[in-house]
Amino acid sequence: RTGFTLIELLLVVSIIAILTGLMIVVINPTALLAKARDAKRMNEINELHKALYLALAEGEIALSSTTGCSDCTSLSGTNAVTGAGYVKFSIPSGKTGLSKYIHVLPLDPTNNGTLVFTYGSNGTSYELNVPLESADNTSKMTTDGGNSSTLYEVGTALTVL
């Protein structure tokens, strides 16, 4: 007699299905995806911070106050680097501006609800904020030097927002 019986095949397929289900529960892809989005958020907000810092140091931009700004988030504003995007600034005469350092303003990986980049400036200092999804990153939000324990904050003054 050669081959397998139908019962044997069904038994093997059901064992594989059970093991696959257990692996999905153990791996927890939802938590892994949240961590991956958080890593992207932190990387992009830090890159934007570096670009703003360099542009300010080299006189390529001048900060504008964002008091009462209704489009200073990646959800409500655009990602233009002209000063008209969600990061507000002016470009001095004869300067290139922020586009010398970054081509577009980053957007949050989900960019909806509260999961957005937020920018604020008092005209001399600025702050960038973003909430992180993964509970594993709570310590990053509480030890970043900012005044909020629920946001990841970077900038030249972490009390602007």
Side-chain angles (χ1 to χ4, degrees), residues 96-107:
T96 307
L98 194 58
S99 63
K100 181 176 177 180
Y101 310 96
I102 192 168
H103 297 290
V104 295
L105 297 175
L107 299 176

Side-chain angles (χ1 to χ4, degrees), residues 40-52:
K40 184 173 182 178
R41 281 183 186 99
M42 289 184 288
N43 182 51
E44 289 187 347
I45 203 167
N46 284 320
E47 289 299 317
L48 178 55
H49 169 51
K50 289 175 191 173
L52 285 167

Side-chain angles (χ1 to χ4, degrees), residues 52-68:
L52 285 167
Y53 191 80
L54 284 171
L56 284 169
E58 295 180 3
E60 291 287 338
I61 64 171
L63 296 176
S64 302
S65 175
T66 58
T67 303

Side-chain angles (χ1 to χ4, degrees), residues 83-147:
Y86 69 87
V87 174
K88 306 297 183 196
F89 58 87
S90 60
I91 302 173
S93 178
K95 297 293 185 173
T96 307
L98 194 58
S99 63
K100 181 176 177 180
Y101 310 96
I102 192 168
H103 297 290
V104 295
L105 297 175
L107 299 176
D108 185 88
T110 55
N111 209 39
N112 62 37
T114 60
L115 295 171
V116 296
F117 294 138
T118 304
Y119 171 80
S121 174
N122 58 14
T124 56
S125 300
Y126 69 90
E127 181 177 351
L128 294 158
N129 293 342
V130 67
L132 302 178
E133 288 179 80
S134 175
D136 292 347
N137 290 323
T138 302
S139 65
K140 289 180 173 57
M141 294 184 288
T142 57
T143 60
D144 60 12
N147 59 350

